[in-house]
Amino acid sequence: MRCVPCPIHLYPQTVWKWCRQGTMPVPVEQTPTGMYLIHDPRYENTQPVSTGGGRTVCYARVSLADQKDDLQRQADRLKAFAINMGVKSPEVVTETGSGMNDKRRKLNRLLADPTVGTLIVEHRDRLARMNAGLVESALKAQGRRIIVVDDTEPDDDLVRDMTEVLTSFCARLYGRRAAKRKTDAALKAARDA
């Protein structure tokens, strides 16, 4: 996650201690998961970064219902990122569903809503396991955009393409839920060979 540069570097334990004791020198907000969002007053009265017009929505997704804690932490990180970008009160939409499934109601609603100008996701695969670039291009043609917070995917297009194809085949053979696990196992076996 890219953050606003800060000239002071503190140990995380010091920040946690100050937050718990209420001695933090800047305003701080605690989320339901226990994560602390620190509001830097130097950036409170500045103009927000242009988000391309329209509403800015943070979209968080997990595959399984038992990952609710992960979903909330992901949503908190996205909200913190949007606030650091200058968005005053970002909307957060959470959803549970496979990245291989195109029948995700909440995401489809966001993509169809022309008032959503910017969609923020943590990783490209949170939007879609395959063909996220096509969704991005379609939104760009409408003057909308997707911001990927952590875009640390393989730089090699061939590796990315092979991973997508392998994930698709695994989804057909083993079912959608086991596809990611089987793909990772196959890629690890190929690297070890």
Side-chain angles (χ1 to χ4, degrees):
M1 184 158 138
R2 288 178 226 110
C3 296
V4 177
C6 180
I8 300 171
H9 298 284
L10 299 170
Y11 286 103
Q13 292 84 357
T14 304
V15 174
W16 287 334
K17 179 179 151 190
W18 287 353
C19 289
R20 282 192 308 270
Q21 293 174 344
T23 58
M24 192 69 174
V26 294
V28 68
E29 166 189 354
Q30 188 173 13
T31 66
T33 62
M35 180 177 168
Y36 289 100
L37 298 178
I38 299 170
H39 303 283
D40 192 335
R42 293 177 297 175
Y43 301 102
E44 289 296 317
N45 296 322
T46 60
Q47 286 291 85
V49 176
S50 172
T51 54
R55 296 177 11 233
T56 298
V57 179
C58 301
Y59 177 75
R61 180 190 66 80
V62 293
S63 299
L64 304 172
D66 63 351
Q67 298 174 312
K68 288 209 184 287
D69 291 340
D70 294 337
L71 182 62
Q72 185 59 49
R73 283 190 295 270
Q74 187 183 143
D76 291 343
R77 288 189 299 266
L78 289 171
K79 182 178 178 182
F81 179 83
I83 289 171
N84 279 338
M85 252 180 52
V87 178
K88 291 294 180 197
S89 55
E91 294 177 52
V92 178
V93 173
T94 59
E95 188 163 42
T96 301
S98 170
M100 297 293 291
N101 187 349
D102 63 347
K103 305 224 181 335
R104 287 179 276 148
R105 288 183 315 175
K106 292 181 181 179
L107 177 61
N108 285 330
R109 232 180 273 138
L110 290 174
L111 295 175
D113 185 351
T115 65
V116 176
T118 302
L119 189 63
I120 302 174
V121 294
E122 189 167 43
H123 298 282
R124 194 171 300 280
D125 72 344
R126 298 296 89 198
L127 180 66
R129 287 276 181 202
M130 294 180 61
N131 300 324
L134 294 176
V135 174
E136 200 168 356
S137 295
L139 290 177
K140 190 175 186 180
Q142 297 174 352
R144 300 159 67 193
R145 69 180 180 159
I146 295 174
I147 296 176
V148 180
V149 175
D150 186 5
D151 204 8
T152 55
E153 294 181 21
D155 290 332
D156 187 4
D157 286 339
L158 183 59
V159 171
R160 188 174 329 127
D161 291 344
M162 282 301 296
T163 303
E164 288 179 358
V165 168
L166 193 54
T167 301
S168 176
F169 285 139
C170 288
R172 288 183 182 172
L173 287 174
Y174 303 110
R176 296 186 190 281
R177 289 186 177 177
K180 174 75 170 121
R181 188 177 65 250
K182 297 285 185 181
T183 300
D184 290 344
L187 288 172
K188 183 179 182 307
R191 279 188 222 121
D192 293 344

